[in-house]
């Protein structure tokens, strides 16, 4: 169980079940069914967060869902969240316009351990929408390139058109000591890049696994395979982190929905080291 | 817990009720209704199921006449104290379209519960560890709990489904009470030993004109508790916590899965089950939205739903979630057991699934109590 200090528990953002009003500043369409919302607190009080944390987003009378923060942690005044429309609530968020209001609770959860990357390589591996929850760690790394060795981003999408943040990926690739590799499951006619699963890209890395911290985010199966592949590559499990997803109704440890074995994912996670969860992830229907 | 102890003759039992009422408490206690014991508002000693005892077993609870005229020879009502501090449905906010959220006031009425048993007191502390002592204290729960005056009764008899001794949660109330009663029948007559467990209890005691208890009375109460403790036949084996950690694939889970009907009775009657869901509703014209928090159960299929599917599709994995949470992962999460040994889930399971027997089948240490199932 994660120990939480008294300060943390009584932060002014902690109102249990009651959200705070935010207003949509921008709704940018990323993909057919994915948008990125920029939200501003009505109170003007910025919501500080750490890379990997999430919020509970509430839409009047419709419902509330957990969504990772995908923005830059150094820009506190604006809350950036990337949402895929998969059901009633997420669809409602995707359809919002500038000036619309939403409710926000959070930020919640254990963040990516960015401090651990000091003097090391940071390896980001993401599948599909999994790039959104690791993007804050990428922003952090780009602002701290003097503290880390190299930043490697391996990203797998279904098709080239499903790749999230494509122009940003290109921009990051142009930065010194940053390498971005993209692969797709299903190519289209004018695709000259890689085809295959994201773990295939590990072979192309020219960094020392002993000197690397990996942050992995994607569907459960992808993360499971990636943990195994990274171990085979020579990366110690202690240095591999994943972000897990379970049903969450409260995000504050009251509702019981997000349990996985010993873990209450909303506050013990969603970020875990591989040894904390690898075995549990392979248990049937846990 | 140390405090003063007094003696109240049974024929003056109503004095306790009167003092509590005068101090502003509504009184709740165990009451016989529809052939079951229920926790309900009561007025005086006459509302208690005097002389009645509960005959329980897997999938079985019958009320029968006991052999003496005791107020408290029965054991537990169907419900624990949970619903008094954590109502089955609770409105947690309301908002207009302007997203100005307002939280309704907490209905924390002062309630005195007469007849709370040790296991239920421990269950209340167990719930408080989850809802009140965690990183995000639930103030609605905390305020309601503060408003309770708990008059414990030390059990004079164990039901066949009881196993609090094995969970270190009874049968004698050790903490968490304001007053504790032990019902004594001996050469000195039918009387209650009353012990105060704190200032609030002491204030009640001070307002009653009662005699000091003697060492003999306290000794008699101790004997009762140890006799009851020794009479329990069910237990959870000591290695349960460890065994379950390596038993995720045990064939017993699918065996249970064949019998369990996913009715969720066990989670409803369990005094420590805390899972909830959120219901966001809006008024017909859509202008006012409300959030309600409702009890939920891990036996419901959609409980683990995430986009793309349900995580625990089989009854077997849902039962496994429930039992491993109670006996293993609760220790990991909150540093104590999630089961207090009240036995309610055994008695109220329509098909008589018995947590103590199922864990024996998995841990293979010791023999389960073999008993006829549903009768
Ligand atoms: C920690 C965390 C971070 C997440 N980050 C993102 C993100 O950055 N972007 C994004 O698009 N999605 C994210 N998700 C998934 C997102 O929460 C679900 O897609 C969303 O809840 C679906 O709700 P719905 O009502 O639109 O869909 P439906 O499928 O109709 O869901 C109905 C209800 O089930 C529950 N539910 C369904 N799927 C999930 C789920 N995956 N997790 C939890 N509860 C669920 C919700 O209560 C939901 O309202 C995240 C989930 C978690 C747990
Ligand atoms: S699991 Fe069963 S015996 Fe244990 S506290 Fe809950 S209802 Fe009582
Ligand atoms: S174990 Fe019994 S009480 Fe619990 S859900 Fe299954 S059938 Fe219902």
């Amino acid at each position: 169980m994660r120990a939480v200090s008294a300060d943390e528990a009584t932060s002014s953002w902690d109102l249990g079940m009651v959200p705070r009003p935010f207003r949509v500043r921008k709704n940018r369409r990323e993909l057919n069914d994915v948008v990125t919302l920029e939200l501003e607190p009505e109170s003007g009080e910025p919501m500080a967060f750490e890379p990997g944390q999430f919020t509970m987003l509430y839409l009047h009378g419709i419902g509330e869902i957990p969504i990772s923060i995908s923005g830059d942690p150094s820009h506190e005044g604006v809350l950036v969240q990337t949402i895929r429309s998969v059901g009633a609530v997420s669809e409602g968020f995707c359809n919002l316009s500038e000036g619309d209001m939403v409710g926000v609770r959070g930020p919640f959860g254990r963040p990516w351990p960015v401090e651990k990357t000091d003097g090391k390589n940071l390896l980001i591996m993401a599948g599909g929408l999994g790039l959104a929850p690791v993007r804050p760690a990428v922003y952090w790394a780009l602002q701290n390139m003097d503290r880390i060795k190299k930043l490697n981003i391996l990203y797998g999408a279904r098709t080239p058109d499903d790749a999230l943040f494509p122009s940003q990926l290109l921009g990051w690739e142009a930065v010194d000591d940053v390498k971005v590799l993209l692969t797709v499951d299903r190519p289209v006619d004018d695709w000259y890049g890689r085809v295959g699963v994201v773990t295939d890209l590990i072979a192309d890395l020219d960094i020392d696994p002993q000197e690397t911290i990996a942050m992995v985010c994607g569907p459960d199966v992808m993360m499971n395979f990636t943990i195994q592949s990274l171990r085979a590559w020579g990366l110690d499990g202690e240095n591999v982190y994943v972000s897990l997803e379970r049903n969450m109704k409260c995000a504050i440890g009251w509702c019981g929905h997000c349990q996985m074995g010993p873990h209450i994912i909303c506050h013990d996670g969603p970020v875990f080291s591989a040894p904390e969860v690898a075995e549990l992830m392979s248990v049937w229907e846990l | 817990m140390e405090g003063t102890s007094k003696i109240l003759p049974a024929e003056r039992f109503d004095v306790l009720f009167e003092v509590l009422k005068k101090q502003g408490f509504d009184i709740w206690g165990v009451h016989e209704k529809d052939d079951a014991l229920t926790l309900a508002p009561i007025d005086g000693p006459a509302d208690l199921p005097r002389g009645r005892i509960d005959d329980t077993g897997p999938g079985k609870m019958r009320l029968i006449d006991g052999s003496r005229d005791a107020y408290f020879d029965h054991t537990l009502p169907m419900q624990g104290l949970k619903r008094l501090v954590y109502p089955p449905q609770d409105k947690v906010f309301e908002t207009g379209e302007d997203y100005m959220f307002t939280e309704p006031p907490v209905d924390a009425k002062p309630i005195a519960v007469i007849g709370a048993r040790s296991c239920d007191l421990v269950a209340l502390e167990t719930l408080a560890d989850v809802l009140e002592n965690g990183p995000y204290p639930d103030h609605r729960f905390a305020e309601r709990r503060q408003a309770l005056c708990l008059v414990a009764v030390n059990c004079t008899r164990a039901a066949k489904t009881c196993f609090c001794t094995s969970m270190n949660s009874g049968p004698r109330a050790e903490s968490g009470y304001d007053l504790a009663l032990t019902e004594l029948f001996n050469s000195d007559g039918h009387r209650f030993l009353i012990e105060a467990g704190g200032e609030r209890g002491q204030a009640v005691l001070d307002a009653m004109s009662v005699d000091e208890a003697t060492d003999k009375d306290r000794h008699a109460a101790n004997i009762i508790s140890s006799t009851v403790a020794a009479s329990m036949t069910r237990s959870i084996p000591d290695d349960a916590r460890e065994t379950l950690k390596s038993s995720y694939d045990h064939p017993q889970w699918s065996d249970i899965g064949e019998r369990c009907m996913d009715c969720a009775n066990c989670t409803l009657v369990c005094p420590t089950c805390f899972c909830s869901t959120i219901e966001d509703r809006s008024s017909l014209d859509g202008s006012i939205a409300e959030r309600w928090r409702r009890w939920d159960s891990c036996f419901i299929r959609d409980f683990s739903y995430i986009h793309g599917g349900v995580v625990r599709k089989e009854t077997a994995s849902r039962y496994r979630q429930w039992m491993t949470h109670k006996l293993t992962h609760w220790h990991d999460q909150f540093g104590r057991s999630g089961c207090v040994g009240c036995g309610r889930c055994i008695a109220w399971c329509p098909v008589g699934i018995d947590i103590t027997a199922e864990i024996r089948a998995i841990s293979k240490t010791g023999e389960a109590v073999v008993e006829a199932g549903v009768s």
Side-chain angles (χ1 to χ4, degrees), chain B residues 214-229:
Chain B
T214 62
D215 281 347
K216 187 181 156 208
D217 299 321
R218 282 183 287 268
H219 182 67
N222 286 339
I223 298 282
I224 290 172
S225 293
S226 46
T227 310
V228 174

Side-chain angles (χ1 to χ4, degrees), chain B residues 89-109:
Chain B
Q89 294 207 66
D90 197 19
K91 184 157 109 178
V92 291
F93 72 64
E94 200 179 282
T95 174
E97 281 161 305
D98 55 0
Y99 284 71
M100 297 307 288
F101 298 93
T102 47
E103 214 194 316
V106 186
D107 53 337
K109 273 184 301 185

Side-chain angles (χ1 to χ4, degrees), chain A residues 1-2 4 8-10 14-22 58-64 84 86-87 101-105 107-109 245-247 249-264 267-268 280 283-286, chain B residues 86 92-93 95-103 130-131 134-139 248-249 253 274-278 280-282 286-291 293 296 302-307 311-314 316-317 320-321 325 329 332-335:
Chain A
M1 205 184 7
R2 192 166 80 97
V4 177
E8 214 176 326
T10 54
D14 164 27
L15 289 172
M17 277 294 178
V18 183
R20 299 213 170 196
F22 274 62
Y58 168 74
L59 206 51
H60 188 269
I62 299 185
E64 190 184 50
R84 166 165 280 151
V86 298
M101 296 196 68
V102 303
V104 180
R105 293 193 293 127
F108 299 117
E245 190 178 318
R246 280 291 184 279
N247 188 306
K249 296 293 178 194
C250 75
I252 50 182
W254 296 355
C255 82
H257 281 255
C258 69
Q259 292 179 71
M260 191 180 72
H263 305 302
I264 296 178
H267 64 79
D268 298 341
L280 300 171
V283 173
W284 163 77
E285 291 191 3
L286 190 60
Chain B
Y86 172 16
V92 291
F93 72 64
T95 174
E97 281 161 305
D98 55 0
Y99 284 71
M100 297 307 288
F101 298 93
T102 47
E103 214 194 316
V130 179
L131 297 174
Y136 296 92
D138 174 356
H139 74 97
Y248 288 122
D249 291 324
W253 301 122
F274 63 83
C275 289
S276 60
T277 188
I278 289 299
D280 287 307
R281 312 173 184 163
S282 54
S287 59
I288 304 290
E290 297 180 343
R291 169 165 298 170
R293 181 173 167 205
D296 203 355
D302 275 353
F303 185 88
S304 64
Y305 176 83
I306 55 175
H307 173 65
V311 174
R312 295 180 208 109
K313 296 182 196 67
E314 303 289 328
S317 64
R320 182 187 65 188
Q321 166 62 25
H325 190 215
H329 298 315
D332 301 323
Q333 296 165 354
F334 304 107

Side-chain angles (χ1 to χ4, degrees), chain B residues 260-266 299 319 349-351 353:
Chain B
C260 169
M261 312 196 304
D262 289 318
C263 70
N265 267 11
C266 49
F299 283 89
Y319 186 91
C349 175
V351 292
I353 292 173

